[in-house]
Amino acid sequence: MSATAELIRVRGLVQGVGFRPTAWRLAHRHGLAGWVANDGEGVALCVSGPHAAIARFVDDLTAEAPPLARIDSIERRRTADPSEPGRFRILESRAGAARTGVVPDAATCAECRAETLDADARRYRYPFTNCTHCGPRLSILEAIPYDRANTTMRGFRLCASCAAEYAEPGDRRFHAQPIACAECGPTAWLESAEGECLGPGTLGAGDAIDAVRILLLRGDIIAVKGLGGIQLACDATNEASVARLRRRKGREAKPFALMARDTDMIRGYCRLSPEDEAALRSPAAPIVILDAVRSPAAAVAPGVTTLGFMLPSTPLHHLLLQGIDRPIVLTSGNLSDEPQCIGNDEARTRLAGIADHFLLHDRPIARRVDDSVVRSMAGGPRLLRRARGYAPAPLPLPPGFVAMPPLLALGGELKAAFCLLRGDEAILSHHMGDLENAATFADYARSIEQYLALFAHAPRRVAVDLHPEYLSTKLGIARAERGLPISTVQHHHAHVAACMAENAVPRDAPPVLGIALDGLGFGPDGTIWGGEFLLADYRAYRRLARLAPVAMPGGTQAIREPWRNTYAHIAAAMGWQHFAATWVGTRLADFLATKPLAALASMIERRVNAPLASSCGRLFDAVAAAIGLCPDRAQYEGQAAIALESAVDTEALRDAAEDRAYCFVLTRPAEGPAQLEAGPMWHALLADLAAGTPTGTIAARFHKGLAVAIAGTIARMRECDGEAARATSVALSGGVFQNRVLLEQVTDRLARQGLDVLAHRVVPANDGGLALGQAIVAAATS
């Protein structure tokens, strides 16, 4: 049997996941000699032996890859045989250009969880138990290759027992960089708000975690240092505790996330599908948005019919939830709208007056990583926030994008994330938050530099949003002023391009129909867009239709006060005098009469601080306020729209005849694109209001009517536009498509037209996915 030797290059998510010991085990299985090592490009191997054995080795390497690994490519080439006969070695990591992927943080695996809870195990009750199949990655990583010396664990010297596990290729902790135990690893402790360290025996508890459990059940608020940041916890069934947390945190109404010990506990509060349970139990362990059957406390998620649950993702959380027969609130450790704390001293300062006690530890967090958020919609789980457990796993570029020069895309203003593009992949950062907050912007700018260093990424071009006042755009312009070419990408073209890229639409594919619905984005005509029907490929787009523009009196104040949109939409639909005369004495008319309508009318008439916007988000705000859902002030972004979706009566949605849905009309102005007018919808809605029609029925008729109108607009464009008629796919993007009712109604109707409906799954439909679209458009056009 002829022997040969090969150099094998494996790229993808292959460092820090147990790939080298897997290769060692398989090499021994097939009788191969050689070596395996990490380097900047991934994993390099040299194997020698019979040609057939090497082929079987490569097949098994793919079939038996570790649970957290993702192989993107395997390259093979013949080489001279430098190996010692019969010996296969694992070599130390090599330096080199950082071309490998960084594995996201992973929730505790079943084996480590069992060890942590096993009284006979060496790591019994140790809150930092991990192995190559689970534990911290991105949150501790400071440089590539992923070795202990390049992580925040470098200060913890391995004890003899851990060192033996680390060095044994057959052990699942072989080269597990965060490996530790109670003898040599990080330590957790409990301290009071005054800084007093509370030792074993506090409150009669055996250790700090036991004490925290007692404190939670007596109603205290605890700051808990987790994987990617510090969290605030309280008993979710204690109305007073939840209300106190809201008051101290300054979070008036936005729903809190919950953590439960297991899925059986979650079923006591929510309906749980197999897809939901799979997402909850996945290595990412995200928050999953679920339909609620009851709430632990009214203050947990006021005004909505869903709850966001997650399972424990670290041994510390598993230990904390043991013996607690109820869910806990687990929210970010910050004042509302500020970045989450990650450092102990930072937490002591910023969370003073919020937390009653602090459960801290001494493993530093390299970077802030929020919890990811998933919701099952239109046939599967879809990411609403991409962070812990998902980022920064590389995303493959669509066919036709190969050997792309390095590029940096900076995203938008809200739900900020940036994107590094190079070669045949895109690295979309973890969720940052809203850049209007100075601390968040500083964290965003710092994270960009961290990623550029971490991935040795030297961009040759920067891509930004078209809006000149976005802080992300200004940051890109500053880079351009230092000599870097810049690409400006229209907001909704980026949304559609992101959806196309995620769905692997080839670079040279014909244009797709695109529907981008969101709050706002800057148009090339200087107006605000947000309800767009496009024909687009990666290089260009054409605006086929839009929602009819309506003024936003007060500008950004109209986002905060939904009633302003109600006034502007009704005035545009029928004239204010007609409304006032026709609907005098109704609750809506009486409510609006208390507002400074003359000032708003003057703004709109004089076009002063009342920009026209084709915004679908503002339409939702207007309808929500009209039927009494948070009409005065939105206490968090999207509150009115979320309340409107929550109000939908599913029976009315399912049973109502199509002609009972509120009607929109498509018009063709003398200039510009076709317009979807909401006038008939407003007349019907106001009549229902006056007749006392239930709020749930009105909400259902609005959602169904808008879905019918959207699908009808696409059908009409395909009839009237030759290029649109040739399109076989339609891409749905923008934050409005986080609305499950609308997404499912629109998807169903477009599919009935024979279109291939493309929607987001692993990239958020909101502005969290914008940077991917910017990057792919810039790559296609430069």
Side-chain angles (χ1 to χ4, degrees):
M1 187 178 295
S2 62
T4 186
E6 291 189 19
L7 282 174
I8 301 174
R9 157 68 57 204
V10 185
R11 292 188 174 89
L13 298 182
V14 290
Q15 290 189 12
V17 295
F19 200 89
R20 288 179 297 169
T22 297
W24 178 88
R25 177 174 56 81
L26 294 175
H28 279 266
R29 175 192 295 174
H30 294 290
L32 302 177
W35 52 260
V36 59
N38 283 343
D39 64 12
E41 294 188 63
V43 170
L45 305 97
C46 180
V47 294
S48 62
H51 179 76
I54 294 176
R56 290 193 297 271
F57 168 80
V58 173
D59 288 343
D60 288 351
L61 205 59
T62 301
E64 299 179 32
L68 299 182
R70 191 191 80 198
I71 297 174
D72 292 337
S73 66
I74 296 179
E75 299 169 8
R76 301 167 59 183
R77 64 182 176 87
R78 294 283 184 90
T79 188
D81 185 359
S83 60
E84 302 175 32
R87 186 181 180 199
F88 191 90
R89 296 173 295 152
I90 297 177
L91 304 182
E92 292 297 317
S93 296
R94 303 169 167 191
R99 292 282 301 150
T100 189
V102 174
V103 179
D105 298 309
T108 308
C109 68
E111 291 88 348
C112 284
R113 178 180 180 274
E115 255 186 288
T116 305
L117 302 178
D118 181 358
D120 295 325
R122 189 166 73 86
R123 291 183 175 83
Y124 176 56
R125 296 192 61 77
Y126 185 58
F128 306 101
T129 303
N130 65 82
C131 69
T132 55
H133 301 159
C134 68
R137 300 294 192 276
L138 176 66
S139 60
I140 62 169
L141 184 63
E142 294 179 326
I144 283 177
Y146 174 65
D147 285 324
R148 195 178 183 92
N150 291 331
T151 74
T152 61
M153 285 295 294
R154 63 179 171 272
F156 298 94
R157 185 179 179 87
L158 293 176
C159 67
S161 297
C162 286
E165 292 171 322
Y166 186 90
E168 171 52 53
D171 195 290
R172 79 173 196 279
R173 292 195 170 93
F174 176 75
H175 280 225
Q177 305 309 330
I179 185 178
C181 71
E183 182 179 338
C184 64
T187 302
W189 67 88
L190 177 65
E191 61 184 60
S192 69
E194 293 74 32
E196 178 189 1
C197 190
L198 306 175
T202 298
L203 303 173
D207 59 18
I209 296 175
D210 274 341
V212 168
R213 187 183 306 117
I214 294 168
L215 291 168
L216 285 172
L217 294 178
R218 82 175 191 186
D220 285 8
I221 295 169
I222 314 296
V224 179
K225 188 174 184 181
L227 199 65
I230 292 172
Q231 302 157 316
L232 290 167
C234 74
D235 178 355
T237 67
N238 187 321
E239 287 282 5
S241 293
V242 178
R244 187 164 62 252
L245 177 56
R246 283 203 177 280
R247 187 169 60 253
R248 292 180 181 180
K249 187 175 162 70
R251 183 166 173 159
E252 297 176 69
K254 191 174 183 180
F256 280 137
L258 301 169
M259 179 176 279
R261 185 183 60 228
D262 51 40
T263 53
D264 287 341
M265 184 178 291
I266 294 175
R267 284 192 182 89
Y269 296 93
C270 298
R271 287 186 287 273
L272 198 59
S273 70
E275 294 78 14
D276 295 327
E277 184 162 359
L280 285 163
R281 294 181 181 278
S282 72
I287 298 168
V288 179
I289 306 299
L290 304 167
D291 291 331
V293 294
R294 67 186 180 104
S295 181
V300 166
V304 299
T305 56
T306 56
L307 292 171
F309 265 103
M310 57 183 154
L311 292 175
S313 56
T314 73
L316 186 149
H317 292 102
H318 279 290
L319 291 169
L320 185 59
L321 270 293
Q322 287 296 308
I324 295 184
D325 60 354
R326 64 200 71 175
I328 61 171
V329 167
L330 201 65
T331 187
S332 55
N334 54 4
L335 279 171
S336 190
D337 298 326
E338 289 184 357
Q340 185 178 22
C341 297
I342 61 173
N344 294 346
D345 288 340
E346 177 191 14
R348 293 182 184 110
T349 300
R350 289 177 52 202
L351 302 182
I354 301 178
D356 299 311
H357 295 85
F358 294 78
L359 178 61
L360 303 175
H361 59 74
D362 54 358
R363 183 178 69 199
I365 296 172
R367 64 185 48 77
R368 179 178 292 106
V369 186
D370 284 318
D371 296 316
S372 294
V373 181
V374 165
R375 189 179 189 188
S376 291
M377 303 185 290
R382 301 179 189 274
L383 269 173
L384 307 186
R385 184 166 75 197
R386 187 175 186 268
R388 177 183 55 78
Y390 296 95
L395 302 166
L397 297 183
F401 289 91
V402 293
M404 305 307 299
L407 184 153
L408 169 65
L410 295 178
E413 187 90 342
L414 303 179
K415 297 179 174 61
F418 54 86
C419 183
L420 314 183
L421 183 148
R422 65 182 178 190
D424 59 357
E425 68 181 20
I427 299 163
L428 186 62
S429 78
H430 57 289
H431 164 87
M432 302 282 168
D434 297 347
L435 301 187
E436 296 166 333
N437 178 276
T440 302
F441 179 70
D443 182 54
Y444 163 83
R446 183 167 52 250
S447 294
I448 290 172
E449 299 306 322
Q450 287 179 338
Y451 269 64
L452 293 178
L454 185 63
F455 291 97
H457 191 84
R460 299 182 195 170
R461 177 173 292 273
V462 62
V464 298
D465 191 270
L466 190 62
H467 200 305
E469 294 303 314
Y470 278 2
L471 291 173
S472 56
T473 299
K474 291 180 178 180
L475 190 64
I477 291 171
R479 286 183 173 270
E481 289 171 349
R482 300 198 295 267
L484 200 63
I486 190 167
S487 297
T488 55
V489 182
Q490 200 280 325
H491 192 89
H492 300 95
H493 185 204
H495 269 310
V496 172
C499 185
M500 293 167 61
E502 179 183 339
N503 285 277
V505 175
R507 181 175 185 170
D508 59 356
V512 305
L513 294 158
I515 305 172
L517 307 179
D518 63 3
L520 61 87
F522 198 66
D525 58 358
T527 66
I528 295 173
W529 294 15
E532 309 307 317
F533 298 81
L534 308 178
L535 187 69
D537 57 23
Y538 294 115
R539 291 171 291 275
Y541 68 95
R542 181 158 57 89
R543 195 184 197 188
L544 300 175
R546 63 180 178 180
L547 290 180
V550 176
M552 288 175 55
T556 55
Q557 199 62 22
I559 300 173
R560 301 185 186 102
E561 297 180 348
W563 66 267
R564 291 172 179 261
N565 300 293
T566 306
Y567 167 78
H569 275 261
I570 289 174
M574 64 189 67
W576 187 252
Q577 296 306 320
H578 175 79
F579 169 82
T582 306
W583 305 103
V584 63
T586 62
R587 185 173 59 183
L588 176 58
D590 289 346
F591 166 73
L592 290 173
T594 66
K595 303 299 182 183
L597 301 184
L600 267 63
S602 177
M603 284 181 188
I604 294 171
E605 183 180 359
R606 295 187 297 130
R607 298 185 180 181
V608 175
N609 197 24
L612 289 173
S614 58
S615 168
C616 193
R618 302 292 77 77
L619 173 63
F620 269 82
D621 288 351
V623 171
I627 62 176
L629 301 174
C630 53
D632 280 301
R633 184 170 65 92
Q635 295 162 321
Y636 59 90
E637 187 206 357
Q639 182 185 9
I642 292 169
L644 184 59
E645 179 192 356
S646 291
V648 169
D649 182 324
T650 54
E651 289 300 318
L653 186 72
R654 185 164 46 246
D655 298 338
E658 204 89 336
D659 59 4
R660 299 297 299 276
Y662 297 148
C663 181
F664 293 72
V665 61
L666 190 65
T667 63
R668 176 71 71 175
E671 295 182 1
Q675 293 190 165
L676 196 55
E677 306 274 359
M681 183 277 295
W682 280 108
H683 282 280
L685 184 151
L686 292 171
D688 273 354
L689 266 180
T693 303
T695 298
T697 301
I698 294 175
R701 289 174 178 174
F702 168 73
H703 278 82
K704 179 175 278 192
L706 182 58
V708 169
I710 289 168
T713 300
I714 290 295
R716 185 63 178 154
M717 294 303 102
R718 297 176 73 198
E719 292 171 0
C720 299
D721 187 293
E723 195 175 10
R726 292 191 291 275
T728 58
S729 299
V730 57
L732 310 181
S733 193
V736 171
F737 281 118
Q738 294 175 124
N739 180 311
R740 184 175 65 189
V741 174
L742 187 69
L743 176 65
E744 292 177 349
Q745 289 279 320
V746 169
T747 297
D748 178 63
R749 284 170 170 76
L750 292 173
R752 283 189 236 159
Q753 294 183 26
L755 289 166
D756 181 18
V757 182
L758 311 177
H760 292 279
R761 288 185 182 271
V762 299
V763 173
N766 58 47
D767 283 6
L770 199 66
L772 174 63
Q774 293 170 349
I776 201 80
V777 169
T781 55
S782 60

